[in-house]
Amino acid sequence: MAKGAKTPQDTPERKGAVNYFVYAMPPGRLSIAASDRGITRIAFGDVPLDMPCRPSAITNAAATQLQEYFAGKRKTFDVPVDLQGTPFQLEVWNSLCTIPYGQTRTYADIAAQIDRPKAFRAVGMANNKNPVPIIVPCHRVIGAGGKLIGYAAGIKVKRYLLELEGMDPEALR
């Protein structure tokens, strides 16, 4: 399970501030939101969120780790996350966290990993709802035959992230 991941039924009321801040990153600006327990959302762009716009120790830590990732100095993340989703979504997102840097898996691979081999379309939907891209590496999931499909920030960003990790997206086919 991703560090700090909770299902809705076992999550007590949020305590403390929920905030976000917008950080400049190599692929563009990222809006990073956090509760007092961890990162709750990463959005591509300067996305106004319905919460105070101010940095926190957690958003700053995530931004630092993301900068290190984009500089090629970090392959894993240890910033806490506070994922909220259905039990199935959490299962998929936790599975995504097991995909090593520089490797990919198909939607069918993830479905098989969570012992639901026929649920590859549902895995794709959960992947699409991932609130913490890059840290929960949904960009490492590809379609059958190595096809680059389905990335909320667009295929161009997905290609950029895979290339950053040393992969040749054309060779995945």
Side-chain angles (χ1 to χ4, degrees):
M1 189 170 244
K3 187 175 182 180
K6 303 277 185 197
T7 60
Q9 59 268 28
D10 67 3
T11 303
E13 288 292 310
R14 290 183 191 269
K15 296 178 183 174
V18 177
N19 63 289
Y20 81 103
F21 200 69
V22 181
Y23 297 88
M25 298 284 169
R29 296 169 74 75
L30 293 179
S31 299
I32 303 173
S35 70
D36 59 343
R37 289 190 295 265
I39 299 301
T40 58
R41 183 170 177 200
I42 296 175
F44 290 89
D46 188 345
V47 178
L49 301 173
D50 189 21
M51 60 186 72
C53 182
R54 65 174 181 268
S56 68
I58 294 174
T59 63
N60 285 340
T64 297
Q65 290 188 21
L66 286 162
Q67 287 285 12
E68 293 167 353
Y69 168 81
F70 290 122
K73 297 177 181 174
R74 177 176 287 274
K75 295 182 178 180
T76 61
F77 296 93
D78 57 17
V79 66
V81 295
D82 184 11
L83 295 172
Q84 304 295 312
T86 67
F88 180 80
Q89 288 171 329
L90 291 169
E91 189 174 15
V92 170
W93 299 336
N94 288 321
S95 179
L96 300 179
C97 291
T98 69
I99 305 171
Y101 179 96
Q103 295 184 27
T104 59
R105 301 290 184 271
T106 66
Y107 296 98
D109 291 337
I110 299 300
Q113 183 177 339
I114 63 171
D115 294 324
R116 297 176 188 199
K118 294 182 180 182
F120 55 91
R121 285 187 180 92
V123 165
M125 294 302 295
N127 204 46
N128 179 264
K129 299 291 185 193
N130 174 16
V132 188
I134 306 171
I135 292 175
V136 176
C138 55
H139 64 279
R140 296 180 188 151
V141 182
I142 59 175
K147 198 170 190 182
L148 295 186
I149 57 173
Y151 196 63
I155 297 301
K156 184 177 179 181
V157 174
K158 185 172 191 165
R159 178 180 305 278
Y160 168 80
L161 295 171
L162 294 174
E163 288 173 349
L164 178 71
E165 295 186 14
M167 289 179 270
D168 177 2
E170 297 306 314
L172 298 173
R173 296 174 190 247

